[in-house]
């Protein structure tokens, strides 16, 4: 196993043709996030074992659909978290946001990390490295924010790959909730994807997040079949 980088931090793991990347799960968890780029279940098991040897308490997969679970399960990973999948048809009209939504600046990233921490339970947080990974996950992406004065109230990370748009993350500061920031960011994300030629937008959210689900359904999203799963390896 050849490893580039140092733990805890971003790692690239290679074994012959096989390749995977890893990072801390987030800023508060002692787990690791492992992403397989190419390779067999044997390589996946070896990469996960190596992360445990480096000090990770457990190793989690990215969200995968039913067909993508097989290689992880054969490598010894077990179901851990479930995510509901939503989609929006971008061939239809999208309303203009009621609040101003602008491109976020580099100086706004720390605010986004803090909002992410306040908005999600420990295991669901992305943290600084996870948010950076979300921004780099698609060929084209943007970082959107809403403000009250100079303070960032909410943020969204949006990407497009081919004709599919992805709402990678949306968070609103607890003090700014019920002020229309989430809806404004959602609509702005749809319009941004439309302008870049996407025909649909996908997002996922944890089951039981009724406030988010209600917003998505109200704005015209539909629940897609085939929930996503995060799998976990404990050695």
């Amino acid at each position: 196993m050849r490893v580039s980088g140092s733990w805890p931090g971003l790692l690239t793991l290679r074994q012959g043709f096989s390749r995977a990347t890893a990072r801390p799960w987030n800023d508060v968890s002692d787990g690791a996030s492992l992403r397989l780029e190419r390779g067999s279940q044997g390589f996946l098991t070896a990469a996960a074992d190596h992360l445990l040897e480096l000090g990770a308490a457990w190793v989690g997969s990215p969200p995968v659909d039913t067909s993508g679970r097989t290689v992880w399960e054969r490598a010894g990973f077990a179901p851990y978290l479930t995510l509901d999948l939503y989609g929006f048809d971008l061939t239809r009209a999208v309303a203009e946001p009621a609040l101003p939504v602008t491109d976020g600046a580099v100086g706004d990233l720390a605010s986004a990390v803090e909002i992410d921490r306040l908005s999600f339970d420990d295991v669901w947080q992305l943290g600084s490295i996870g948010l950076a990974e979300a921004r780099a996950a698609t060929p084209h992406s943007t970082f959107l924010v809403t403000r009250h004065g100079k303070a960032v109230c909410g943020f969204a990370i949006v990407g497009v790959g081919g004709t599919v748009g992805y709402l990678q993350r949306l968070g609103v500061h607890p003090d700014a909730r019920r002020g229309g920031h989430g809806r404004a960011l959602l609509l702005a994300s749809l319009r941004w994807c439309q302008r870049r030629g996407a025909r649909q937008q996908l997002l996922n959210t944890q089951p039981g997040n009724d406030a988010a689900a209600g917003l998505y359904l109200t704005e015209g999203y539909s629940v897609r079949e085939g929930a996503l799963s995060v799998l976990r390896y404990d050695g």
Side-chain angles (χ1 to χ4, degrees):
M1 182 74 63
R2 292 179 292 130
V3 180
S4 302
S6 59
W7 187 260
L10 297 173
L11 299 181
T12 301
L13 304 99
R14 298 182 179 87
Q15 194 173 66
F17 174 77
S18 302
R19 175 186 166 104
T21 57
R23 60 168 173 83
W25 187 257
N26 55 33
D27 295 339
V28 297
S29 171
D30 54 4
S33 173
L34 179 62
R35 186 174 297 272
L36 179 66
E37 296 183 3
R38 55 181 183 264
S40 66
Q41 63 262 25
F43 167 71
L44 196 51
T45 301
D49 282 334
H50 188 74
L51 290 170
L52 296 182
E53 292 171 3
L54 290 175
W58 53 274
V59 182
S61 76
V64 293
D65 59 20
T66 302
S67 63
R69 287 177 52 163
T70 302
V71 65
W72 295 90
E73 291 176 331
R74 289 178 176 174
F77 285 71
Y80 179 43
L81 303 171
T82 302
L83 291 159
D84 292 333
L85 183 64
Y86 290 78
F88 187 96
D89 178 7
L90 286 171
T91 63
R92 55 187 289 189
V94 178
E96 186 174 349
L99 297 178
V101 179
T102 60
D103 292 334
V106 172
D108 296 325
L109 293 173
S111 296
V113 172
E114 178 64 6
I115 291 171
D116 189 77
R117 183 186 69 81
L118 295 171
S119 299
F120 299 94
D121 293 338
D122 286 0
V123 72
W124 293 109
Q125 293 176 29
L126 288 181
S128 53
I129 294 179
L131 288 174
E133 182 180 84
R135 295 182 67 192
T138 54
H140 307 283
S141 67
T142 189
F143 168 49
L144 303 174
V145 299
T146 56
R147 302 179 188 274
H148 179 71
K150 294 183 178 181
V152 175
C153 294
F155 76 96
I157 295 175
V158 195
V160 167
T163 60
V164 181
Y166 303 91
L167 181 55
Q168 303 279 23
R169 197 63 156 182
L170 189 153
V172 176
H173 195 285
D175 293 342
R177 288 174 188 165
R178 301 185 182 278
H181 294 275
R183 192 177 304 274
L185 287 162
L186 189 67
L187 294 174
S189 77
L190 291 169
R191 291 165 69 91
W192 185 87
C193 291
Q194 277 184 327
R195 292 195 298 271
R196 278 144 190 87
R199 307 287 289 177
Q200 66 171 325
Q201 188 198 79
L202 300 176
L203 63 85
N204 57 63
T205 189
Q206 63 268 37
N209 190 346
D210 296 335
L215 173 61
Y216 302 146
L217 295 173
T218 299
E219 289 302 331
Y221 287 77
S222 60
V223 180
R224 299 294 175 88
E225 292 184 3
L228 302 175
S229 299
V230 174
L231 295 97
R232 172 169 164 160
Y233 183 87
D234 291 282

